[in-house]
Amino acid sequence: APGTGYILFTRGDEIRLDLSGDRKNYVLRWIDPADGALAERSVRVRGGQPLTLPVPAGGNPTVAWLSLR
């Protein structure tokens, strides 16, 4: 359901997600799909607007996981 959480995959340098219709607050965690490891640092993300998220391992396969705070 919208607003529950989001999983996004990329091989690029950034991820774009339009949260204009979703004003909830999320925690962003990066996942390495090769081994399932979570990045140590998480970031708070506020909805209500389009987001452009730079990928920490730009150019490499990466998963972004946004979950409700």
Side-chain angles (χ1 to χ4, degrees), residues 49-68:
Q49 62 190 348
L51 299 174
T52 300
L53 307 167
V55 175
N60 294 320
T62 305
V63 173
W65 171 29
L66 281 84
S67 58
L68 289 173

Side-chain angles (χ1 to χ4, degrees), residues 20-66:
S20 297
D22 181 352
R23 297 194 174 275
K24 296 183 180 95
N25 294 315
Y26 293 90
V27 174
L28 167 65
R29 294 178 182 93
W30 296 101
I31 302 170
D32 182 341
D35 62 9
L38 283 171
E40 290 182 27
R41 221 172 59 125
S42 62
V43 178
R44 292 181 181 180
V45 174
R46 170 175 265 155
Q49 62 190 348
L51 299 174
T52 300
L53 307 167
V55 175
N60 294 320
T62 305
V63 173
W65 171 29
L66 281 84

